[in-house]
Amino acid sequence: MRAALPLIAELRQRLVWPLPALAAWGSGWAAFLVLGNAGVSPWVAVALASILAALFFRLGATRWRRILIVAGFPASLVGCAAALLLPPWAWLVPFGVLFVIYPRHAWRDAPVFPTPSGALHGLSAAVPLRSGARVLDAGCGLGDALVELHREYPQVRLGGVEWSWLLARICAWRCGYAQVRRGDIWTTDWSEFDLVYLFQRPESMPRALAKARAEMKRGAWLASLEFEIPGLAPAHVLDVGRGRPLWLYRVPFAR
């Protein structure tokens, strides 16, 4: 098994998401159909196909991606069974809800994954900010990160940007101490902020670095939960023991 770890790591780097998930789900369905045609009991076929699909979980770079890889085939099987019972128009309802919550313009960014409670513990000690400093949560979602940032920095001016108008309104209602607006994190000017917080995707990190280099002022901080920026040396790395380190970079960035 240890001999296979370098190969798994290389595949994880080469296979762009969601290819690992599609490979797992496709393998699960192929195994299920082959076993079914061979006369194997449906329950046994489901179990064996689920195990085969779950073997791909190491190709997921994050915990959530591994969950999606493992749960994708069983969930799709349940969905197909439900399709026999539900009228066709019923499938438009969840699609419509998803489109309202997560509009198409935001599909290239991270889905709505909330910042876990306590994930930013110790940030104010590692990065002390003056009273009145400006902090931005780029992609604030429902406001979980703003709650954590407010706990760490009760004296700063918090701001949040979220493309989904529904999530932005919920966040603004939930976090009355922050200035939350609907907008695109990639067109928002970062030059006014002393700290910009991100919880995006690994694929977003080069774009975030380019924007930070072009706009952020000297001495400002860029914080990324879980995903590091390749090629840069962080000024600090906070880890509260949940497997999600907080990578802290200060302008000018050091390689």
Side-chain angles (χ1 to χ4, degrees):
M1 183 63 184
R2 289 186 177 180
L5 291 179
L7 177 60
I8 293 173
E10 184 177 355
L11 287 174
R12 188 185 300 168
Q13 293 291 331
R14 290 181 177 274
L15 293 179
V16 179
W17 184 261
L19 289 180
L22 295 176
W25 304 341
S27 299
W29 272 106
F32 176 72
L33 295 175
V34 169
L35 292 171
N37 291 331
V40 177
S41 166
W43 292 107
V44 175
V46 169
L48 293 177
S50 298
I51 292 173
L52 175 61
L55 293 178
F56 288 79
F57 85 100
R58 286 187 175 273
L59 296 181
T62 67
R63 183 181 66 175
W64 278 106
R65 291 185 177 182
R66 291 173 181 173
I67 291 174
L68 290 174
I69 289 173
V70 173
F73 167 70
S76 63
L77 194 63
V78 172
C80 289
L84 300 175
L85 304 175
L86 296 175
W89 60 264
W91 293 99
L92 295 176
V93 176
F95 177 78
V97 173
L98 179 63
F99 190 81
V100 170
I101 295 177
Y102 200 55
R104 181 177 177 274
H105 180 79
W107 289 0
R108 68 178 184 269
D109 299 323
V112 184
F113 287 153
T115 296
S117 177
L120 307 186
H121 179 69
L123 175 58
S124 58
V127 182
L129 297 178
R130 59 180 174 79
S131 179
R134 299 195 63 185
V135 175
L136 175 68
D137 180 5
C140 54
L142 292 170
D144 294 88
L146 288 175
V147 172
E148 298 299 312
L149 288 168
H150 182 60
R151 184 179 295 128
E152 289 290 312
Y153 299 110
Q155 81 285 5
V156 305
R157 297 160 59 193
L158 284 175
V161 177
E162 171 59 47
W163 180 254
S164 169
W165 67 269
L166 179 59
L167 296 183
R169 291 197 175 189
I170 295 175
C171 181
W173 170 80
R174 182 185 181 193
C175 305
Y177 43 78
Q179 293 181 338
V180 179
R181 67 178 183 86
R182 179 181 180 271
D184 187 346
I185 65 173
W186 304 113
T187 59
T188 297
D189 186 5
W190 291 4
S191 63
E192 302 176 356
F193 297 97
D194 300 281
L195 186 149
V196 175
Y197 170 79
L198 295 168
F199 187 15
Q200 283 290 315
R201 305 182 304 158
E203 296 83 0
S204 302
M205 291 299 98
R207 189 178 187 188
L209 173 60
K211 183 173 178 62
R213 277 179 167 160
E215 297 179 2
M216 294 186 72
K217 59 190 176 184
R218 188 178 186 87
W221 291 84
L222 180 64
S224 174
L225 184 63
E226 190 165 344
F227 305 119
E228 63 177 315
I229 299 177
L232 287 190
H236 299 285
V237 181
L238 297 182
D239 192 344
V240 295
R242 304 187 180 204
R244 283 185 169 169
L246 181 64
W247 301 85
L248 301 170
Y249 304 91
R250 194 172 194 183
V251 181
F253 301 118
R255 290 192 173 276

